């Protein structure tokens, strides 16, 4: 199904849920939905600048976001206001669900960053993931999340990362 299909709206609300609560909600333009992968584009939805040390997200940045209904991650390509690629921020999530005009994604704390040149690949928030207790409350989900992070890291380090987005 393409973004031009009468069955899907051209605009969606991305709803990021964490620990049972809505963490952030923002409008996004639906670019493509093939039934498995959903691609949207949205401007930086945060308030002001968020400096992670290895990248800054700021007003004017554009995110092209890739979500899968059958994978435990989302990949967000980040470009600045001049269309210069900053890199890819990857959230480890449960598979995405599209309900009407809402794309709902549950964040499982783990993240991965890959710089535009591929020289920097960082595993992030492993301490938050451990503290979440998911390994005890939902061991299957914890194993899937860990495997997803390992898979993304391997792709990012081996240079096959962009094939995810083709």
């Amino acid at each position: 199904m393409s973004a031009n299909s009468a069955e899907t709206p051209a605009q969606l609300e991305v709803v990021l849920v964490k620990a049972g609560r809505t963490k952030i909600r923002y409008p996004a333009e639906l670019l493509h939905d093939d039934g498995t992968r959903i691609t949207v584009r949205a401007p930086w939805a945060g308030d002001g600048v968020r400096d992670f040390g290895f990248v800054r997200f700021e007003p004017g940045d554009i995110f092209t976001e890739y979500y899968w209904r059958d994978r435990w991650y989302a990949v967000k390509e980040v470009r600045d206001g001049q269309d210069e690629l900053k890199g890819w921020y990857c959230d480890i999530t449960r598979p995405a669900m599209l309900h009407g005009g809402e794309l709902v994604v549950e964040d499982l704390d783990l993240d991965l960053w890959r710089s535009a040149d591929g020289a920097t690949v960082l595993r992030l928030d492993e301490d938050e993931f451990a503290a979440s207790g998911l390994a005890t409350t939902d061991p299957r989900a914890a194993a899937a999340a860990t495997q997803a992070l390992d898979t993304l890291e391997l792709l990012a380090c081996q240079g096959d990362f962009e094939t995810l987005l083709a």
Side-chain angles (χ1 to χ4, degrees), residues 13-24 26 66-69 71-76 90-99 102-111 129 132-135 137-138 140-142 144-145 148:
E13 282 281 313
V14 176
V15 181
L16 185 62
V17 176
K18 188 171 181 176
R21 289 199 218 116
T22 298
K23 181 178 175 183
I24 191 168
Y26 54 92
Y66 302 85
Y67 298 92
W68 286 265
R69 291 178 172 97
R71 297 184 190 177
W72 288 70
Y73 54 79
V75 177
K76 300 172 182 181
C90 307
D91 286 319
I92 304 303
T93 67
R94 291 184 189 268
M97 296 180 291
L98 185 60
H99 299 291
E102 289 187 341
L103 179 59
V104 180
V105 184
E106 183 180 349
D107 185 345
L108 298 177
D109 294 309
L110 293 171
D111 300 297
F129 179 72
S132 76
L134 190 65
T137 61
D138 191 345
R140 185 186 71 78

Side-chain angles (χ1 to χ4, degrees), residues 19-68:
R21 289 199 218 116
T22 298
K23 181 178 175 183
I24 191 168
R25 168 187 293 269
Y26 54 92
E29 175 189 2
L30 176 64
L31 299 178
H32 188 76
D33 180 356
D34 66 9
T36 301
R37 188 177 79 186
I38 302 162
T39 307
V40 301
R41 182 177 298 131
W44 165 240
D47 293 327
V49 174
R50 179 133 186 232
D51 190 341
F52 290 94
F54 52 87
V55 67
R56 288 169 48 104
F57 296 160
E58 50 202 336
D61 287 352
I62 300 296
F63 288 65
T64 302
E65 304 176 357
Y66 302 85
Y67 298 92
W68 286 265

Side-chain angles (χ1 to χ4, degrees), residues 115-133:
S115 61
D117 63 4
T120 303
V121 177
L122 302 171
R123 293 171 70 108
L124 306 168
D125 303 328
E126 290 178 291
D127 55 338
E128 288 180 30
F129 179 72
S132 76

